[in-house]
Amino acid sequence: MSIKLKSSYTNIKNWFRGNLHTHTTESDGSRPPEIVIADYESRGYDFLCISDHDILVDPSQYQQDTSMTLIPAVEVSAHGPHIQQVNANNRVAPDSDRQVVVREIIADQSICILNHPNWGRQYNHFPHDLMESLDGYHGIEIYNGVIQRLHGSALATDRWDRLLSDGHRLWGYGNDDSHQPGDVEIAWNIVQAKDCTVDQIDAGLRNGSFYASTGVTISSIETSGTTIHVKTKDAQRVCFVSKLGVIQSIVDEAEVSYTLPEDPNQALSLSYIRAECYGSGGSVAWTQPIFIEENA
Ligand SMILES: [Zn+2]
Ligand SMILES: [Zn+2]
């Protein structure tokens, strides 16, 4: 038996930064869409989703006034835990059966993300059994900025590792979920794409060619044989994490590599490897999981 790494990254050198989760006065945000869009643009963002609660705000009316790529989105909110519909064609209506919501988002050809799992006093906005049972979604928010000032935990890599370890192949997204000026530029996604078009950003977000960050910048994520190379601009430490959150390696460098154990069974038992890159001021970048498979 031999082992291979299955990476979602490509050799494209361009990276584009954006936030997929933004509220405005169209629902419970404090500022109108044009002000929110101008704020993100002034911070150098490349793309943005306005994603109000249960309403699809048509971003085309704002596109001529910004150089950012605006992507239509909805946060499906009523009657259950919140689900993000990114690159929405038609608004998906809330249904108390969340599998119906997921199915309709996929039928709409949108990207489907389960939001802020660890929000609330019980740290359980998204019950874990429900996340385990739902079928067909693309990933979860592993960092949600607004939860920094609310009850619960902004970070949800614990949920992600549990789901990945149970065999779900899911991507981890980082978003602001901004409602007020102070919520802006907390967490974002950096997508590998030739150009910043809606279609190419959609493909990167859908296929896992992106990483989530609260400040650290990654230049490349490459694999060769059974080795993963991660090159960052500003990380001070990189940890490689495997099945059920086990840390396989900690290196205090900006450029690091990790090689799978030589024994194929041992390598296979790790299931996946993902990198957490820690920088100054508590900032982090999270790569997508690179899956460990048997060579057929
Ligand atoms: Zn929400
Ligand atoms: Zn929200």
Side-chain angles (χ1 to χ4, degrees), residues 279-291:
S280 62
S283 58
V284 191
W286 298 269
T287 72
Q288 300 308 321
I290 292 172
F291 297 99

Side-chain angles (χ1 to χ4, degrees), residues 75 82 116 177:
E75 185 177 19
H82 297 176
H116 41 60
D177 196 358

Side-chain angles (χ1 to χ4, degrees), residues 21 23 53 75 116 177 179:
H21 192 160
H23 296 280
H53 296 285
E75 185 177 19
H116 41 60
D177 196 358
H179 288 71

Side-chain angles (χ1 to χ4, degrees), residues 27-47:
S27 66
D28 61 351
S30 69
R31 298 183 296 174
E34 54 269 34
I35 302 293
V36 172
I37 290 166
D39 188 355
Y40 276 93
E41 180 164 24
S42 75
R43 294 164 189 263
Y45 277 67
D46 301 302
F47 63 91

